[in-house]
Amino acid sequence: MKGRLFLLGISVGAIVLLAVWANTNRRPPPLELGELAARLEPGEELSGGATTVPDPGRNAFGRSPMNMARARWPEFHAGKRIFDRDWTDVDGPVHVGPLFIAPSCMTCHVKDGRGQPPASPKETPVSLAFQLSGPEGHGVHPRYGAQLDVRHLDGKGEEGTVEVRYDEVPGRFSSGESYSLLRPRYTFAALSKGPLEDGVRFSPRVAPVNFGLGLLEAIPEAAILAQEDPEDRNQDGISGRANRVLSVEDGQTRLGRFGWKANQPTLRQQVAQALSADMGLTTSVFPRGQGQEAPGDDAVPEVTPEDLDKLVFYTRLVAAPKRRDWDAPTTLRGKAVFEAIGCASCHLATPFETEEVPGFPEVSGQKIYPYSDLLLHDMGEGLADGRPDGLASGTEWRTPPLWGIGLVKAVNGHTRFLHDGRARNVEEAVLWHGGEAAPAQERYTRLPLADRQALLTFLESL
């Protein structure tokens, strides 16, 4: 009986102390991790295995793989020419649109890198697209289709535009320093087909980087599914699950790998979907453009099968960049912090081994470090778009690979991150994490300044 009273006394005392602390401090106590030692894994600096390129400069994201035979260079560069092609300048009947978002792949993926949101509310979005659904997220919008087209081939007649503004969200670390985040607000303007109805869901999505995709496609499906834990059986708060989406070429439901919500199953379909949705170009995969009637049997795709193959070839082989300062003491401390606070539960620090890909020895049998499990995770209401996508709910997003994140500024001249580019730097991206990642985010805010800086140094090394 005394033991029970003693335990009860401690519990009540702890509650009282917590109430006093909450009223006076309102910040959680600092998190001291003590001595941590991250092991340096042999070859971990080679993010893409033998494909990895050592260029740390302006062209770091657009290089051919280091293990590609010289005889393959012409085919690679033929694909790059299609990637760079401005389809408004093409002679003859083949051109974008008439409704479109961008005239080339390179317009959004500048130097195969990341896009960013508009610099001002009145600037027309370029590499930030807005996907649309019908009321309550079902199907596509009955008048505007799957995506709002902000450009028209003749310079007028676009479907509308979107004004992007931000509200400041203040916060404070346990160590006392303050921070602020940007919460976006979107206003649809000059809509040509009337206002959007109540309940229409939209999803702002900035263009992601374009390298290493062939390696991600070469990860065995079983290796990705082995990371699933939808029921959270190990009770770690992380319940990643795979998206399952339609493969339009064979009609089968397959594992989703590409896109912000893993809504595309293959690289070929991802490329063809971008040509269709973003540029209004038909292919053998998607023979009908947005708002067009079904084509006849004799319809010729605007992007020929040969050009589509060249573009997919290029996209499959654009190489991942090598890490910098991966063995520096501060970087290794940051890696240990990254793992200790739970970031590696989704952004896996362990490598994948790619399988054999017929015709592509470059991406076959590689040990790669994308720092992603490629699964869907609930990221909380703060990052939610409310729009289902395949099996993905309105709060779920695919874990984005982190490789190359430290070179975005060198390549693209900015440091905007997350699916809508709201984060102005890597730290803000960390601080926006919620849902399953909320415990890791909370631990980050409790770290001393030196450990927060070490973790950011580690991320900048990727």
Side-chain angles (χ1 to χ4, degrees):
M1 187 65 179
K2 288 182 180 180
R4 291 181 182 177
L5 289 174
F6 178 71
L7 289 173
L8 180 61
I10 289 206
S11 177
V12 171
I15 291 172
V16 171
L17 287 174
L18 284 172
V20 172
W21 169 81
N23 288 329
T24 59
N25 198 318
R26 295 189 182 278
R27 291 199 300 272
L31 178 62
E32 298 291 343
L33 296 178
E35 295 295 327
L36 286 177
R39 191 174 70 175
L40 186 63
E41 300 289 341
E44 69 173 89
E45 73 277 14
L46 302 177
S47 302
T51 69
T52 308
V53 295
D55 187 346
R58 185 85 167 91
N59 297 310
F61 294 165
R63 301 289 298 276
S64 60
M66 292 296 291
N67 62 345
M68 188 173 75
R70 192 181 187 92
R72 306 260 273 181
W73 287 3
E75 192 171 2
F76 181 83
H77 290 293
K80 180 171 177 57
R81 284 193 293 273
I82 298 172
F83 184 86
D84 292 344
R85 179 185 296 173
D86 184 340
W87 289 84
T88 61
D89 290 340
V90 175
D91 295 331
V94 179
H95 50 67
V96 293
L99 288 164
F100 64 101
I101 292 173
S104 71
C105 304
M106 187 267 294
T107 301
C108 294
H109 305 274
V110 177
K111 289 189 168 291
D112 293 278
R114 285 183 63 91
Q116 60 181 316
S120 68
K122 296 299 183 181
E123 181 181 320
T124 301
V126 176
S127 53
L128 178 66
F130 289 81
Q131 297 187 359
L132 301 173
S133 295
E136 309 306 323
H138 301 299
V140 300
H141 192 272
R143 286 176 287 118
Y144 291 100
Q147 197 158 279
L148 186 73
D149 288 310
V150 296
R151 287 175 175 76
H152 193 279
L153 191 61
D154 64 8
K156 57 184 179 180
E158 61 273 4
E159 292 183 322
T161 188
V162 187
E163 297 177 359
V164 185
R165 293 179 171 85
Y166 297 94
D167 296 321
E168 292 275 350
V169 181
R172 189 172 295 275
F173 297 107
S174 292
S175 52
E177 301 93 343
S178 62
Y179 63 82
S180 70
L181 306 177
L182 296 182
R183 179 184 288 119
R185 285 186 291 113
Y186 303 103
T187 303
F188 292 87
L191 294 174
S192 64
K193 302 172 186 176
L196 297 176
E197 303 86 347
D198 292 340
V200 168
R201 307 292 172 83
F202 66 91
S203 183
R205 302 186 185 183
V206 76
V209 294
N210 194 54
F211 61 79
L213 302 183
L215 293 168
L216 299 181
E217 189 172 45
I219 297 173
E221 181 172 321
I224 297 173
L225 297 181
Q227 308 298 324
E228 276 194 300
D229 187 14
E231 305 302 325
D232 193 20
R233 289 190 177 90
N234 62 2
Q235 298 185 344
D236 66 349
I238 307 299
S239 52
R241 65 193 185 108
N243 203 351
R244 294 286 183 176
V245 294
L246 176 68
S247 172
V248 298
E249 292 192 279
D250 62 15
Q252 300 297 309
T253 299
R254 299 192 181 279
L255 173 70
R257 296 174 187 251
F258 303 104
W260 284 105
K261 293 206 175 195
N263 64 345
Q264 297 297 340
T266 66
L267 189 52
R268 179 180 173 84
Q269 185 165 313
Q270 169 71 17
V271 170
Q273 171 65 19
L275 290 169
S276 174
D278 299 338
M279 299 165 64
L281 292 167
T282 61
T283 63
S284 57
V285 181
F286 292 103
R288 175 166 40 175
Q290 182 167 305
Q292 295 178 354
E293 298 295 328
D297 293 337
D298 60 346
V300 177
E302 293 170 318
V303 180
T304 67
E306 294 77 16
D307 279 353
L308 177 61
D309 287 344
K310 291 175 184 177
L311 183 56
V312 173
F313 181 93
Y314 171 75
T315 308
R316 179 169 283 125
L317 291 180
V318 179
K322 184 180 179 180
R323 290 180 58 191
R324 289 82 46 216
D325 299 323
W326 66 92
D327 55 354
T330 302
T331 303
L332 290 174
R333 173 70 182 187
K335 178 184 176 183
V337 173
F338 180 85
E339 296 180 5
I341 68 173
C343 303
S345 296
C346 303
H347 294 283
L348 303 181
T350 52
F352 282 109
E353 299 276 351
T354 64
E355 60 189 358
E356 192 71 22
V357 181
F360 288 90
E362 298 88 352
V363 299
S364 300
Q366 299 300 321
K367 181 180 179 181
I368 64 173
Y369 292 83
Y371 281 86
S372 170
D373 58 10
L374 300 184
L375 297 175
L376 298 172
H377 294 276
D378 186 336
M379 296 300 292
E381 290 300 325
L383 292 177
D385 64 357
R387 182 178 181 272
D389 203 332
L391 299 181
S393 73
T395 61
E396 288 180 310
W397 299 94
R398 183 198 69 159
T399 306
L402 297 181
W403 52 10
I405 195 170
L407 287 172
V408 170
K409 185 175 183 179
V411 175
N412 297 124
H414 70 82
T415 54
R416 302 303 291 254
F417 296 107
L418 297 179
H419 67 277
D420 53 12
R422 71 177 68 184
R424 291 168 291 189
N425 51 54
V426 172
E427 182 168 69
E428 289 188 17
V430 173
L431 291 168
W432 266 113
H433 280 52
E436 294 175 40
Q441 186 268 7
E442 188 265 351
R443 294 182 195 112
Y444 179 79
T445 65
R446 293 169 53 201
L447 291 172
L449 177 60
D451 275 348
R452 296 200 308 270
Q453 290 177 334
L455 189 147
L456 297 177
T457 297
F458 164 70
L459 292 175
E460 292 289 339
S461 80
L462 295 179

